[in-house]
Each structure stands twice: as C-alpha cells, then as structure tokens.
Amino acid sequence: MRNSLVILLSGLLISGSAFAGSKVALESASIDVDDHKSLQRGTRNFMNYCHGCHSLSSSRYNRVAKDIGLPVVPADTGASGKDADQIAGTNAKLITENFIFTRGIDGKPSGLGSLMHNAMPSDDVKNWYGGVAPDLSLTGRSRGADWIYTYLKSFYLDPERPSGMNNTILANASMPHVLWDLQGNQKLVEHIDEEGHKHSKLVLETAGSLSPEEYDEFVNDITNFLVYVGEPAQLARKKYGIFAMLLLLMFIGVAYALKKEYWKDVH
C-alpha cells in the first residue's frame, strides 16, 4: 500500500512538473468591469468578430445593455416622461442595430430580451471546423482574463495548419485568427541559447490596420467584456460587501454597549 502511494505521488509530481514546464507566460490584462466605455467597446468588438461562432447563452441582450451603461428601460435612465422614452428608444435602436445580428429558430430577428446565441448553424460549424465553437459564457471565470488576453495576441503563421494559423497558448486550435486584419500576421521565431535552452517569441511580419498598442486595447476590451459576462454580479457585489462591513461594524458597537450594560454591576 505504501509503495503504491509513493508511486502515485511521484507520478503526480512528474506530471505536474511537466505541465508547469509547458505553460506559456501570460500577459497581464487591464480589467475594470466598472469601466462602461471599455465594456461598450468590448461588446461591440465581440458582437462583430466573435459572436458569429461563439454564443453567450447565459446572457440576454437587454441585461448586458443595462450593465454596460445602455439601459433600454425608461426607469433606469433617471429621466421621466418624453425624455425617458426618447432615451430608451434611442438606446434600444442603438443596441438592435449594432449588437444584435442573430435570428431565432423561427427566422425572426432576435429581440432585446433574447438569449445571446450565435448566428451560425451548428451543423455548418461541424463541417467547416470539425466541431461546434464553445460557448464563452464562463470563459472569463474558467480561463481568467490574462489567458484570454494573451490568447487573442498569440496567433502566428503556420502553413501546416488548415487555417494557416496556430497559437502559442492553445496549440493546434481549430479557431482561425479572425482578428488578423486588425493585428496583422505574426511569425514564431525560435533560437537556442548557449546553454541549450530553446526560446521563442512572436514577431510581427505584416502590419494590420491597427497599431500594436491599438490592437492591445481592442483585445483588452473584449477580455474585459468576457470577464464581466462570466460573473455579472461582480458589478454589484463590492457595493453589497461595503454595506455588509458597515452593518458588522454597527453590530460590534451595539454588542460592546450590551456587554458593558450586562457587566456594569459585576466586580
């Protein structure tokens, strides 16, 4: 029994070391889910470049719109009467024209209250890419912001892949580099140092329509949006946390006053 445990632990240590050695260093994303402008840009970027294949089936358009600062309900705007109706109508038009590009099973355009399913039939996706694109509702929580941010920056030219692209973070991924026209094309440059260690880096070979700094901001906004989508409650939990702490502080004061009252006659 003891030998079996030793063997098992040794195997775990070896596999863990191999996994750690194979990990690629992640770049740090600048995430602020309270930044409505970033969330709005991230929503726009995701809907235009990602939503054609990837769903956000745990989210609804109107909830996302409200959270990113584009409310469609008059009561949420702080206005009243005709002003409220005008704001709500303008925002609703803005959302439906710029964010909603899908149709339901009945063929009708998705509405503000619809779930954010992707626009591509699953059978076609299987034929084109060999499998259905994953739902990204919880990717911000399961993968983390740094992983998403680095992944979107790590595509490089690879003629051996069907799409002509590969990725240093997720090798041999079936997803093509849909942002190539913005980032440009990168190539993977490898070299071996004097100690025999192999090093690699990505070098921009052909420039895209955005500068490297602009592209970083573009994918950072997408990352920020996916982090929000993974846990919309985080927009309010800090406020609730502060309220809870204040409540506990008040309770401490009351408890101390009760303690003094109960023990004042005890010597």
Side-chain angles (χ1 to χ4, degrees):
M1 180 67 177
R2 182 179 179 181
N3 291 337
S4 299
L5 288 174
V6 171
I7 294 173
L8 176 61
L9 290 174
S10 300
L12 290 174
L13 288 173
I14 293 172
S15 62
S17 300
F19 177 74
S22 65
K23 291 179 68 176
V24 178
L26 301 180
E27 297 186 44
S28 297
S30 179
I31 299 303
D32 181 7
V33 294
D34 293 318
D35 185 349
H36 282 173
K37 294 299 183 182
S38 174
L39 289 178
Q40 290 170 17
R41 293 192 301 267
T43 306
R44 176 201 62 196
N45 299 345
F46 182 89
M47 300 309 296
N48 280 276
Y49 287 91
C50 310
H51 192 48
C53 295
H54 296 281
S55 294
L56 299 174
S57 60
S58 297
S59 301
R60 295 185 184 275
Y61 291 102
N62 53 3
R63 169 63 188 272
V64 170
K66 177 182 176 181
D67 287 346
I68 68 175
L70 295 174
V72 295
V73 181
D76 295 328
T77 64
S80 60
K82 293 182 178 180
D83 291 337
D85 293 337
Q86 183 176 0
I87 293 172
T90 300
N91 285 345
K93 183 178 180 181
L94 174 67
I95 295 162
T96 53
E97 290 183 353
N98 293 277
F99 295 157
I100 304 179
F101 309 123
T102 58
R103 293 178 179 271
I105 299 176
D106 55 5
K108 296 181 179 179
S110 299
L112 290 170
S114 302
L115 291 169
M116 299 175 69
H117 293 294
N118 70 311
M120 190 177 294
S122 58
D123 291 339
D124 291 339
V125 179
K126 290 179 181 178
N127 292 331
W128 296 335
Y129 301 114
V132 178
D135 187 291
L136 300 184
S137 296
L138 297 176
T139 303
R141 297 186 66 180
S142 62
R143 292 290 193 176
D146 293 349
W147 189 94
I148 298 172
Y149 178 68
T150 308
Y151 172 73
L152 292 175
K153 295 181 59 179
S154 299
F155 284 92
Y156 65 92
L157 293 169
D158 184 354
E160 296 183 1
R161 296 296 300 158
S163 67
M165 288 286 185
N166 210 328
N167 193 287
T168 58
I169 299 298
L170 190 61
N172 299 327
S174 57
M175 172 180 163
H177 186 22
V178 296
L179 304 178
W180 70 270
D181 59 325
L182 304 178
Q183 183 187 28
N185 291 323
Q186 298 183 119
K187 64 178 180 179
L188 185 66
V189 178
E190 298 180 331
H191 73 278
I192 300 177
D193 61 22
E194 297 177 353
E195 299 179 353
H197 298 142
K198 185 170 71 172
H199 301 273
S200 60
K201 65 177 181 178
L202 295 173
V203 178
L204 187 63
E205 187 175 62
T206 307
S209 60
L210 299 180
S211 68
E213 295 75 18
E214 290 172 335
Y215 183 76
D216 288 352
E217 181 181 8
F218 187 94
V219 296
N220 192 82
D221 289 334
I222 294 179
T223 303
N224 199 27
F225 170 68
L226 288 176
V227 169
Y228 146 72
V229 167
E231 189 180 0
Q234 64 187 299
L235 297 178
R237 70 182 179 191
K238 293 180 181 178
K239 178 178 66 177
Y240 296 148
I242 293 173
F243 178 78
M245 292 298 295
L246 291 175
L247 194 62
L248 288 174
L249 288 174
M250 291 174 58
F251 176 76
I252 290 173
V254 173
Y256 180 73
L258 285 173
K259 178 260 182 187
K260 291 191 65 176
E261 179 66 24
Y262 287 149
W263 289 84
K264 68 179 180 180
D265 296 329
V266 178
H267 300 288

